[in-house]
Amino acid sequence: MSDDDDFRAAADGVYQALLARVGEGAPEHRLDATRRAVELLGDPQRAYPIIHITGTNGKTSTSRIAESILRAYGLRTGLLTSPHLVRFNERIVIDGVPISDEELVRNWEDVQPYLEIVDSELVEAGKAPLTFFEALTVLAFAAFADAPVDVAVIEVGMGGEWDSTNVGDGQVAVFTPISLDHTKALGDTVAAIARTKSGIIKPAADVVSSAQPSDALSELIAAAELTESTFAAQPEAFDVATTAVAVGGQLVSIRGRAATYDELFLPLYGDHQAQNAAVAVAAVETFLGRGTQPLNRDLLEEGFATATSPGRLQLIGIEPSILVDAAHNPAGAESLAQALGTYFDFDEITVVFGALGDKDVRGIVRALVPIANQFYVTQVRSDRALDYLELGDLVREETDEDATFVYADAEEALVAARDWAAEAPRRAVVVTGSIVLVGDAMAISEAGGWKAAS
């Protein structure tokens, strides 16, 4: 066995060790446990400035676009996103590349003894040990310090105030659109969710926000005032000026905080991605020059051109076309439906669909019905998944019996949908509803040689 194989096996072991902890669907509402762990490690999260990003939809894409722009400026970047699609290493990205197996294992060996110390202290105090995401946060902060990076773009796991990433102090706090999601953990109103998310705003920070519902905006403004932070929100401070469909993506013009940047090629589909790009530009303008210095046009073009957002309206198969999108709430599904109508010209679409039990599944389906000729409902590989038979019944209630088919196995559903699409031109398959399902579809496509050339 080669050294690469050894490190691959060891890296998979790291992921298994993390999976043995309480999962991401049941976060602890606390910071003290993560704070204790990073203190024992010498506070690696203080070794570099942080751009901290939260919201309900668009967090990952905004994070990736901002990181790409910063890297175009020659900065060595760290990027933490969740969840992963195919391999765990995708969550911790250093200078544009997922952390190597060797670096992952080495950093894990460094932090594991300290995690065990904190686990023991917590158990002795009658509290739960560090969760999966708390341990991941510690690992990522340590890996970024070890790299080392010049700046880290950190995506919140869930919420904000008590999310483990909040042990880091964001120089810039960024908010993508806020809507209802994770209501059991975050609250059942947009205002309550925004209040929790506003907890990432630190004293005298700079705040950048996308356009928000009025009740969310009020919460963010109040938090910024309380912390004596600056506040720049869309559309007053920045906005998307124009978008136009282009081959492989779109041409966008963005009115930034410091300048207007005309006709930039963005290799991502959907008006929502243009909005994410505008927030990313404002965030980088804020980080580099407090929103007063225009970005370099050539570097911004490079940052946009090299930006990727895997699993977000991504073409993973051709002849027939197979797309995946990580929409897992109604707002995300509405953006997906709109983008499919604007950027593609399919005659018929089958949606391969699976979902977790804590999602507004009926709302997602209703958003997709206008663009879907039929649904192939399947089981998501997660202990939080909604049973495929129950999901099938729910989808039938929103569509009809003849347009809904159920499959216990996701690969079987995907192959059947692909066979259907191959029977006629201008048919397509869209896989959505769950990030886990999207990741599995990407792996199946790769193994089957369906993937489109990049």
Side-chain angles (χ1 to χ4, degrees), residues 24-25 27 54 133 156-163 182 185-186 197 384:
E24 295 170 276
T54 190
F133 195 76
V156 164
M158 187 184 296
E161 179 182 8
W162 39 258
D163 185 79
H182 299 295
L186 303 179
K197 292 181 184 294
R384 297 162 53 208

Side-chain angles (χ1 to χ4, degrees), residues 133-147:
F133 195 76
E134 287 172 329
L136 165 62
T137 300
V138 176
L139 175 61
F141 281 144
F144 294 151
D146 179 68

Side-chain angles (χ1 to χ4, degrees), residues 342-355:
T342 302
Y343 289 82
F344 299 92
D345 190 23
F346 301 124
D347 287 341
E348 296 179 278
I349 294 173
T350 277
V351 173
V352 176
F353 184 68

Side-chain angles (χ1 to χ4, degrees), residues 338-410:
Q338 181 183 33
L340 285 168
T342 302
Y343 289 82
F344 299 92
D345 190 23
F346 301 124
D347 287 341
E348 296 179 278
I349 294 173
T350 277
V351 173
V352 176
F353 184 68
L356 301 185
D358 60 351
K359 299 298 180 182
D360 179 4
V361 177
R362 199 175 294 276
I364 298 171
V365 173
R366 286 174 177 168
L368 296 175
V369 163
I371 56 91
N373 294 85
Q374 51 191 10
F375 284 80
Y376 283 29
V377 174
T378 191
Q379 187 71 38
V380 175
R381 185 178 45 81
S382 169
D383 56 7
R384 297 162 53 208
L386 187 63
D387 178 76
Y388 75 102
L389 293 174
E390 182 181 350
L391 180 59
D393 289 341
L394 188 153
V395 173
R396 287 189 185 97
E397 291 173 8
E398 297 297 331
T399 57
D400 77 53
E401 189 81 23
D402 296 332
T404 305
F405 308 89
V406 296
Y407 296 83
D409 180 73

Side-chain angles (χ1 to χ4, degrees), residues 62-83:
T62 302
S63 297
R64 294 180 70 92
I65 296 168
E67 183 274 340
S68 188
I69 299 169
L70 291 165
R71 193 159 23 90
Y73 265 81
L75 296 172
R76 186 168 172 81
T77 56
L79 174 66
L80 175 64
T81 61
S82 289

Side-chain angles (χ1 to χ4, degrees), residues 53 56 73 77 84 107 125 146 181 193 236 239 257 278 292 317 354 356 359 363 372 416 420 422 429 439 446:
I53 299 181
T56 303
Y73 265 81
T77 56
H84 61 278
N107 278 284
D146 179 68
D181 199 9
I193 292 173
E236 291 79 13
D239 205 2
R257 295 189 65 190
T292 64
L356 301 185
K359 299 298 180 182
W420 167 85
V429 176
E446 181 72 27

Side-chain angles (χ1 to χ4, degrees), residues 164-237:
S164 59
T165 63
N166 207 27
V167 299
D169 293 334
Q171 179 177 324
V172 182
V174 181
F175 296 87
T176 64
I178 296 171
S179 59
L180 293 176
D181 199 9
H182 299 295
T183 52
K184 289 182 181 178
L186 303 179
D188 57 6
T189 67
V190 169
I193 292 173
R195 196 174 308 125
T196 298
K197 292 181 184 294
S198 72
I200 70 167
I201 301 175
K202 301 300 172 61
D206 292 312
V207 181
V208 171
S209 175
S210 71
Q212 301 286 0
S214 59
D215 41 359
L217 185 63
S218 297
E219 294 291 341
L220 300 184
I221 291 173
E225 290 176 348
L226 186 65
T227 55
E228 298 184 342
S229 299
T230 68
F231 191 82
Q234 183 186 23
E236 291 79 13

